[in-house]
Amino acid sequence: MAGKFKKISDIFFKVLGSIVIVGGLVVLVFIENPVRYFVYAVLLVMITNFKSLRNVRTDLKKTAQNLLVTTGVVYLLLITVLSLSPFLKIMEFKCSHRDWRPVNAQKMQPFTSWDSGYKRKGNSYVNIDYEYQFNGTPYRNSEPEALYKYYPFWNRKKSRELVDEFSKSVSEKIQKRDYLILTNPDQPEKSKLFLSTDLFYFQGSLFYDLVTGLAVFILIFLGIIGAIFMWPLKKQQK
């Protein structure tokens, strides 16, 4: 009976784990990022591992597993690099949307907000409503979450202060026209706003969020180790 229950529980947790992994991949590939990023990763892996495809007939399972793992690693590296560099993200968009044209903003209205995080202080982000003209016709659009700025847990400033600081930096970018708006000539109502054109923007990347999040676990681990070693010493002193 116990063996049967263990077998059922193992199958349940295995299926549950698979569902969680697949769900996470769906969110990452189809919701959080453009699908074309994943296509880039697949094409790159297929080109660089063309010789290994010959082993599909002899060892399908192993070959498929290797290709899936490699694709996952390449995809994560790709979205990390693009997250770190707004400039490269703009270049990628221009290459994948060659017919889109830059336009000047007639009006821009930023709305900064705060989002509390898990194992971190949180992040500021901005939604922007903007207006532009194309061939003399005015259009209005919005860019949700146009820019982020993440804060680690050790930042002691209040969230309101951080949002105000972020709001000022966004206003400066708008005043200096440090942004880019591209629109589709065939459908001018469609456009894309890039609020930052910086080559490198570390604190606004998911990589920064990941690193500072891992720092929490590292510090907790070191604190536990330190407490384990200090506990006998305190008992001896008593």
Side-chain angles (χ1 to χ4, degrees):
M1 185 69 180
K4 187 177 181 180
F5 178 77
K6 185 178 183 301
K7 186 177 180 180
I8 294 173
S9 65
D10 289 342
I11 294 173
F12 172 78
F13 285 112
K14 187 176 181 179
V15 172
L16 181 63
S18 300
I19 292 172
V20 170
I21 292 172
V22 171
L25 288 173
V26 169
V27 171
L28 191 64
V29 174
F30 296 98
I31 299 176
E32 292 294 328
N33 297 285
V35 180
R36 63 180 183 274
Y37 291 177
F38 184 73
V39 175
Y40 297 156
V42 171
L43 291 175
L44 184 60
V45 171
M46 295 292 284
I47 292 170
T48 55
N49 293 270
F50 183 75
K51 291 182 178 180
S52 64
L53 294 175
R54 299 174 183 176
N55 300 325
V56 171
R57 292 183 179 180
T58 57
D59 197 345
L60 176 61
K61 185 177 180 181
K62 185 177 180 181
T63 304
Q65 286 178 342
N66 291 337
L67 289 175
L68 285 173
V69 171
T70 306
T71 302
V73 172
V74 171
Y75 178 71
L76 290 175
L77 288 174
L78 178 62
I79 62 175
T80 299
V81 170
L82 291 175
S83 171
L84 286 166
S85 178
F87 174 78
L88 290 180
K89 188 176 287 187
I90 291 173
M91 292 298 101
E92 183 281 325
F93 190 89
K94 284 183 175 181
C95 290
S96 59
H97 299 73
R98 291 183 177 275
D99 55 336
W100 286 46
R101 297 290 178 262
V103 292
N104 294 321
Q106 304 297 314
K107 182 181 178 181
M108 294 189 70
Q109 181 63 53
F111 300 94
T112 51
S113 301
W114 176 263
D115 180 28
S116 297
Y118 175 70
K119 295 300 182 184
R120 58 180 168 83
K121 188 174 183 66
N123 64 271
S124 301
Y125 67 95
V126 60
N127 301 322
I128 295 184
D129 292 342
Y130 60 96
E131 298 177 8
Y132 60 96
Q133 286 190 358
F134 187 81
N135 289 338
T137 304
Y139 296 93
R140 179 180 296 176
N141 213 333
S142 62
E143 189 67 39
E145 302 176 355
L147 196 67
Y148 284 93
K149 190 169 185 179
Y150 295 96
Y151 304 96
F153 75 98
W154 56 79
N155 191 310
R156 295 304 176 190
K157 289 185 178 180
K158 294 181 179 179
S159 59
R160 186 67 259 170
E161 294 179 85
L162 296 173
V163 171
D164 289 341
E165 289 179 4
F166 179 67
S167 180
K168 289 178 182 177
S169 65
V170 169
S171 298
E172 289 176 2
K173 281 184 173 294
I174 293 174
Q175 289 175 3
K176 294 177 181 178
R177 293 189 175 273
D178 183 22
Y179 59 84
L180 176 66
I181 301 175
L182 296 171
T183 187
N184 185 351
D186 299 325
Q187 296 175 295
E189 68 278 5
K190 292 185 177 181
S191 61
K192 175 68 177 177
L193 167 66
F194 296 92
L195 187 56
S196 176
T197 60
D198 297 336
L199 178 63
F200 186 73
Y201 183 42
F202 185 46
Q203 200 169 347
S205 67
L206 291 174
F207 183 70
Y208 179 88
D209 188 29
L210 175 63
V211 170
T212 53
L214 287 175
V216 177
F217 293 101
I218 293 172
L219 290 174
I220 291 174
F221 177 75
L222 292 176
I224 293 173
I225 297 298
I228 292 173
F229 281 99
M230 291 297 293
W231 180 254
L233 293 176
K234 286 184 178 180
K235 290 185 71 175
Q236 287 179 5
Q237 289 176 356
K238 289 182 180 180

